[in-house]
Amino acid sequence: MPIQAPAPVPVPTPVPPKRHAIACAAYAEFLAGGYSAASVDAIATRAGVSKPTVYKHFGSKEQLFLEVVGGVLDAACAELEPCPATLAAAPDLRAALVEVQYRWARRLVSAELMSLRRLVIGEAERFPQLGRLWYQRSRAAIDTPLVAAVEGLCATGRLVVPDAELAVRQLVALTVSVPQLAQTFDTGRAPAEAELRAVVAGGVEVFLARYGAEGACGAP
């Protein structure tokens, strides 16, 4: 019977110290060599606990992997700021869109999240539920707030968008996904701030050329 991805539940406060130590040790081991190479013995040694203690807290190596990676992903997505209010009140929509998408792109190409992304991709065949979890969490953090913002901007006449969800997917693809995809496979060089901002600004320009209402997007 396949292991199911854990449902998002409130994290106990405070987290038991041994459980926290095991989670941190497991994440380090999983990042270092992937799921297969990480042994429960190595995780226990790194955490300073016994092997039975690992199983007592997490049940199995599979469940440990899912809970730890899913928890890191949830925490990372929670750090992405919602944008509807920021965009709705912006006097210069172009500049505001660039800033919102740039902040998201910079976070998503950080070393921490790129390592997590590569780990999930590498284990997606073994744990397809983890791939779905990544997709669902990232879409909820990025796409859903943007759809609400785009719909609001359409209501005030600043954008003309027939399909807000499609438009948002296109905007994310043009801005966030471009550097994220490159960084997933080109591990030797992180994009410079100016390079990243230029990619995002170019994507926003394409988006507004298609959907921007005339005279409603600020200075070119």
Side-chain angles (χ1 to χ4, degrees):
M1 186 173 182
I3 301 289
Q4 296 298 314
V9 294
V11 177
T13 305
V15 176
K18 286 186 179 180
R19 184 180 179 87
H20 178 70
I22 293 167
C24 292
Y27 188 54
E29 290 291 328
F30 290 138
L31 284 182
Y35 175 82
S36 297
S39 70
V40 176
D41 286 317
I43 292 169
T45 299
R46 184 187 284 264
V49 302
S50 68
K51 188 173 178 179
T53 299
V54 175
Y55 288 119
K56 176 183 176 181
H57 281 276
F58 290 95
S60 67
K61 179 183 172 183
E62 292 90 346
Q63 196 63 29
L64 173 59
F65 181 77
L66 287 169
E67 288 197 32
V68 168
V69 176
V72 174
L73 177 58
D74 280 345
C77 287
E79 294 178 11
L80 297 173
E81 300 175 10
C83 64
T86 302
L87 294 177
D92 186 333
L93 180 56
R94 177 180 283 101
L97 275 171
V98 169
E99 190 59 33
V100 166
Q101 297 304 100
Y102 170 74
R103 288 201 307 268
W104 281 347
R106 184 175 59 185
R107 177 68 181 121
L108 290 171
V109 299
S110 66
E112 175 196 359
L113 277 189
M114 290 312 305
S115 295
L116 178 60
R117 177 180 172 86
R118 294 185 196 106
L119 177 61
V120 171
I121 291 172
E123 301 296 343
E125 186 171 350
R126 184 192 298 268
F127 296 105
Q129 65 272 47
L130 195 58
R132 289 193 296 270
L133 185 68
W134 176 283
Y135 176 76
Q136 291 163 0
R137 295 291 194 274
S138 57
R139 184 167 184 180
I142 298 175
D143 290 24
T144 300
L146 267 177
V147 169
V150 166
E151 289 174 342
L153 290 164
C154 287
T156 58
R158 304 185 73 186
L159 292 177
V160 180
V161 179
D163 184 335
E165 290 194 8
L166 173 60
V168 163
R169 288 197 296 271
Q170 292 168 338
L171 176 61
V172 172
L174 288 164
T175 56
V176 175
S177 297
V178 170
Q180 186 184 52
L181 181 61
Q183 192 63 17
T184 298
F185 301 104
D186 185 4
T187 61
R189 182 184 68 88
E193 182 175 340
E195 178 186 354
L196 185 60
R197 189 174 286 276
V199 169
V200 171
V204 169
E205 285 294 328
V206 174
F207 176 80
L208 290 178
R210 171 63 179 86
Y211 297 115
E214 187 175 353
C217 298

